[in-house]
Amino acid sequence: MTDNEGGNQKYTLRGNYEAYSLIGMMVVAGVFYFLIPYQIEKPKMLFGRAFMDMKPTLFPALAAIGMFVLSGVALLQSLGNPLKNPFKGLDRHIAFQLSVIIVILYCFAISFEPLGYWLSGILVSLTLSLFLGNRNILTLLILSLGVPSFIYFVFTKLLLVSLPEGIIF
Amino acid sequence: MFESIIEGFYLLARWDTFGVISIGLFLGMFVGALPGFTTVMAMALILPISFFLHPLVGIPFLIGVYKGGIYGGSIPAILIAVPGTGAAIATTMDGPQLAQRGEGRKALEMALYASVFGDLVSDIITLFMITPIAMIALLVGPPELSVIILIALVIIAAASTGALIKGLAMAFFGIMLSMIGQDPLGFMTRFTFGSMELKSGIPLLPMMIGVFAIPEILAVLERLAVSNKSGKAPADLSRAGDRLHFHEFKRCFRTICRSTAIGTVIGALPGAGQSVAAFAGYAAAKKKSSHPETFGKGELEGVAAAEAANNAVNGPTLVPLLTLGIPGDKVTAILLGAFVAHGLRPGPQLLSEHGPLVFALLLAMIIANVMFLVIGYISIPIFARIVTLKRFYLVPIIVLTAFAGSYVFRSDPVDLQFLVLFGVFGYFARKLDFDVVPMVMAFILAPILEYTIGQTVNMADGNLIVYMFTERLSAGALYLMLFATMGYFGYKHYKTQSSKRQDPVLVGEDIP
């Protein structure tokens, strides 16, 4: 599946991110298919007869086969299509910035309960605003204190839903 | 039906409904006016809030955001030639030229009136169309419903942004994700890998907020970083100009009516959506015009055609959702979540079980249009100024709302990890041109599909094909229709691929 010229067209896998994703999808579908016997409970029986006529493995198997076949067809098409780099323009600096944002989001997710919504919200607001280039102290304060407090108030006092209180409230 | 409509009127007589519609319209216009942030994202963020409100407050809130957002997208489309939402792409053909000529205010007002007219008329049609369709839907049994779902999935995949095959592969991926947890027939555990967290399945809300909201934040940040590097200055929005005159509106009225009809028909089809309607309305207006050469050069009729058509989609898009329980696009998928959270299961039984409530919601949509006219008219100058609002003010607000909304659904911190995971997945899917809509739709519809197929197999007593083509002729006919639909889209896809391959390909041209 490496470079293979055919007329005015080249088929290539190298640098074809779409093809990599489709191979990934085929692998996921394959793993899913082979896990079916181990990951699906045996059907419940009623007077020696299964509760439903349809085998519980049928639908998952059809889904896995469908995804595998379609991803395979899409892969074959992708190899013949013009190469397009979706990450063009995403240089190392921007990629780093996006990675940092994802890390901040993940940290927010794991600190949400131990620190509480309000405190973790303040930290995340402040970090995100600073990271995105906000250097105005007034707006930084309003954003990092006001936004989590307002959302906390809306959810807990107006909608009467609980958000984690954490170490402050 | 008329008794239910009158009862619906009584149910609707509450101030908080109109209060939240106003807030929703304002919020929707705000988000729509910001290029990069979409109505779907705003609705996904509002969805968990709507769970804790009365159905006649929570659902109209979402409807308000939806209506406001679709119009809001036209504001940057007209002023800076950047569509705020996908629905406003056709508006960029004439809107910016009008703004450059100093007629920005005129274009914005035309967009508002055309939007309100298109939306209002299509909502009224929906109100009267829904009962006969629901009566037909009552005749639909599990065999027919299973095939209707399959047809809807094929159409949604075909209407997705990437290639058809990729759309279908994503739909199958959504089906696979829906299988994690318990099966809907025998409630047996599957694909949980021994994890208690996965026993109740992948939560829908963090998934929706994740794939619809987080990738937009990342994409906006990416654009922000690129524009900071290139040092591009934001556009000047000071141009306002004259107001729209009645004779100008009158001149465009035929076009608005035509686009409304087009949008109404397209709205009832699953997957087609506002963008398709806007382009179809625009193309029809240009074709019928006595001066087609002015289109694309700042023609007011062009703005009216696109805006009336894209807003006319809003009402009819609810028809497949309310009558068959099948969401036709991302917006109705979110609305389905809101209905289910309020104990209202969309489908053939909904109208017979909750008729007055459904009519109250449809009436709320109609009244929302009238409110929209007033709110939109007053707030045009405000929203014209926020088009270039700095993104670092908004990103923390969106992130904090997304996390709070995802958490309150089940109060499980694991959901926040799902949120981030689906957010990152959605970002890469968008980058690689894999549309997440078929995945989300399939995720929602797969349990119903599996259940109806299971019931059909039981009914057929093991002889499925004979049963379909002897006892359930309607289902058999629908299956033939499914194959015909697949064949049609497959052929179209093949033709597209063939024409692509006729062009010379430069391998590696795009690779850094």
Side-chain angles (χ1 to χ4, degrees):
Chain A
M1 272 197 282
T2 50
D3 294 16
N4 174 25
E5 284 192 45
N8 59 359
Q9 207 166 318
K10 279 184 177 178
Y11 295 87
T12 184
L13 183 64
R14 201 171 165 192
N16 189 339
Y17 294 96
E18 187 182 73
Y20 298 154
S21 331
L22 289 163
I23 292 170
M25 284 172 80
M26 286 174 76
V27 171
V28 169
V31 170
F32 192 85
Y33 183 82
F34 285 108
L35 282 174
I36 287 173
Y38 311 103
Q39 284 295 324
I40 297 183
E41 263 185 345
K42 295 272 176 293
K44 290 182 182 76
M45 306 294 271
L46 208 62
F47 301 111
R49 200 171 170 228
F51 185 62
M52 295 299 284
D53 286 346
M54 193 167 85
K55 280 185 185 172
T57 52
L58 178 69
F59 201 71
L62 286 176
I65 293 168
M67 185 167 148
F68 187 84
V69 171
L70 286 164
S71 304
V73 175
L75 174 67
L76 290 176
Q77 281 183 351
S78 169
L79 295 174
N81 283 342
L83 274 185
K84 193 170 76 176
N85 181 9
F87 302 102
K88 193 180 175 185
L90 197 75
D91 64 17
R92 207 170 276 182
H93 175 68
I94 300 170
F96 171 74
Q97 281 197 327
L98 288 174
S99 312
V100 171
I101 298 286
I102 293 168
V103 170
I104 293 173
L105 293 180
Y106 188 73
C107 290
F108 189 25
I110 54 171
S111 66
F112 201 80
E113 271 206 342
L115 290 184
Y117 178 76
W118 191 71
L119 185 60
S120 59
I122 288 174
L123 292 174
V124 166
S125 278
L126 192 68
T127 318
L128 277 176
S129 299
L130 279 169
F131 188 71
L132 297 175
N134 187 1
R135 297 289 179 268
N136 183 319
I137 291 174
L138 186 68
T139 55
L140 265 175
L141 274 175
I142 293 171
L143 269 178
S144 50
L145 284 172
V147 173
S149 308
F150 177 73
I151 295 173
Y152 191 83
F153 172 79
V154 169
F155 275 92
T156 55
K157 305 292 172 201
L158 295 182
L159 298 171
L160 305 174
V161 199
S162 65
L163 282 171
E165 292 181 353
I167 49 177
I168 295 186
F169 75 86
Chain B
M1 178 179 108
F2 288 103
E3 292 83 19
S4 295
I5 293 178
I6 292 164
E7 261 187 82
F9 258 119
Y10 283 115
L11 282 176
L12 204 58
R14 43 189 304 163
W15 67 268
D16 46 359
T17 302
F18 299 105
V20 293
I21 289 175
S22 309
I23 298 170
L25 286 167
F26 203 79
L27 199 67
M29 280 178 74
F30 178 77
V31 175
L34 295 166
F37 294 116
T38 65
T39 317
V40 176
M41 183 200 75
M43 287 181 74
L45 294 177
I46 297 295
L47 181 63
I49 296 175
S50 76
F51 291 173
F52 304 100
L53 301 168
H54 186 276
L56 278 172
V57 180
I59 298 172
F61 191 16
L62 288 167
I63 290 170
V65 174
Y66 178 31
K67 285 180 185 295
I70 300 298
Y71 168 68
S74 70
I75 299 172
I78 290 168
L79 294 176
I80 56 167
V82 178
T85 58
I89 297 171
T91 312
T92 56
M93 292 185 176
D94 285 285
Q97 285 86 344
L98 283 161
Q100 276 163 16
R101 288 206 309 248
E103 294 177 70
R105 173 92 198 190
K106 199 171 272 189
L108 288 170
E109 285 186 7
M110 176 55 88
L112 176 68
Y113 301 145
S115 300
V116 170
F117 183 87
D119 206 343
L120 182 66
V121 172
S122 75
D123 286 352
I124 293 170
I125 293 171
T126 306
L127 182 76
F128 290 103
M129 200 165 66
I130 207 145
T131 306
I133 295 175
M135 283 165 78
I136 298 168
L138 276 174
L139 304 172
V140 168
E144 291 84 11
L145 191 58
S146 63
V147 66
I148 288 170
I149 292 171
L150 287 171
I151 293 173
L153 284 176
V154 171
I155 297 173
I156 290 162
S160 60
T161 51
L164 168 73
I165 303 287
K166 278 163 71 181
L168 284 172
M170 286 298 273
F172 272 99
F173 185 51
I175 293 176
M176 278 177 29
L177 288 178
S178 79
M179 284 175 194
I180 295 170
Q182 285 185 323
D183 87 294
L185 292 160
F187 304 103
M188 280 145 342
T189 308
R190 56 187 183 182
F191 300 108
T192 57
F193 302 94
S195 157
M196 277 304 286
E197 279 83 10
L198 288 176
K199 209 161 182 180
S200 50
I202 292 176
L204 176 65
L205 192 70
M207 181 204 234
M208 285 218 277
I209 299 178
V211 297
F212 292 140
I214 303 290
E216 285 188 27
I217 297 171
L218 296 174
V220 163
L221 295 175
E222 190 188 322
R223 279 198 293 273
L224 189 74
V226 172
S227 67
N228 282 348
K229 280 184 80 180
S230 64
K232 277 185 193 163
D236 174 28
L237 302 172
S238 56
R239 302 179 199 98
D242 289 340
R243 286 174 179 272
L244 185 75
H245 298 293
F246 182 68
H247 69 87
E248 288 166 325
F249 179 75
K250 208 174 143 191
R251 178 169 68 82
C252 299
F253 191 65
R254 266 175 84 104
T255 301
I256 294 173
C257 290
R258 191 188 308 112
S259 283
T260 301
I262 292 169
T264 306
V265 173
I266 291 177
L269 306 171
Q274 283 97 358
S275 312
V276 177
F279 278 108
Y282 186 86
K286 192 176 174 182
K287 201 177 168 189
K288 294 277 175 190
S289 173
S290 56
H291 45 84
E293 69 285 352
T294 57
F295 278 74
K297 293 172 187 163
E299 172 57 59
L300 211 50
E301 233 176 304
V303 173
E307 286 299 310
N310 70 24
N311 280 274
V313 168
N314 298 355
T317 197
L318 290 180
V319 174
L321 173 71
L322 296 177
T323 55
L324 293 166
I326 298 173
D329 57 12
K330 333 180 206 195
V331 168
T332 40
I334 292 171
L335 284 174
L336 174 67
F339 273 92
V340 172
H342 287 295
L344 307 164
R345 181 87 225 177
Q349 306 294 333
L350 183 69
L351 265 189
S352 50
E353 287 169 5
H354 303 281
L357 188 70
V358 173
F359 281 109
L361 291 169
L362 292 172
L363 289 165
M365 286 178 71
I366 292 171
I367 296 166
N369 289 313
V370 183
M371 295 170 68
F372 183 23
L373 189 65
V374 180
I375 292 171
Y377 187 80
I378 297 168
S379 53
I380 281 175
I382 304 167
F383 291 116
R385 285 174 200 279
I386 62 144
V387 171
T388 53
L389 190 68
K390 292 250 186 315
R391 298 298 179 263
F392 52 64
Y393 295 134
L394 297 164
V395 170
I397 301 174
I398 294 166
V399 169
L400 263 61
T401 314
F403 274 72
S406 297
Y407 179 82
V408 295
F409 183 48
R410 299 197 306 185
S411 295
D412 189 344
V414 175
D415 288 1
L416 302 176
Q417 294 182 34
F418 275 121
L419 173 78
V420 179
L421 185 73
F422 278 111
V424 176
F425 172 81
Y427 172 75
F428 283 105
R430 182 190 279 211
K431 277 269 167 208
L432 294 160
D433 216 12
F434 284 85
D435 197 343
V436 291
V437 177
M439 182 192 88
V440 175
M441 293 296 180
F443 182 82
I444 294 170
L445 294 173
I448 312 168
L449 180 67
E450 189 174 358
Y451 186 73
T452 51
I453 291 177
Q455 280 186 315
T456 309
V457 172
N458 270 11
M459 287 159 79
D461 216 10
N463 234 333
L464 198 61
I465 296 171
V466 175
Y467 175 75
M468 283 290 196
F469 289 96
T470 53
E471 290 182 49
R472 301 299 286 227
L473 277 172
S474 52
L478 281 169
Y479 263 101
L480 291 178
M481 209 168 121
L482 169 70
F483 295 129
T485 313
M486 285 169 71
Y488 169 73
F489 286 121
Y491 177 71
K492 258 183 76 175
H493 179 71
Y494 171 74
K495 293 284 278 183
T496 320
Q497 288 293 322
S498 305
S499 61
K500 258 190 202 173
R501 280 171 194 194
Q502 276 167 9
D503 297 330
V505 179
L506 294 166
V507 178
E509 181 202 40
D510 220 2
I511 305 296

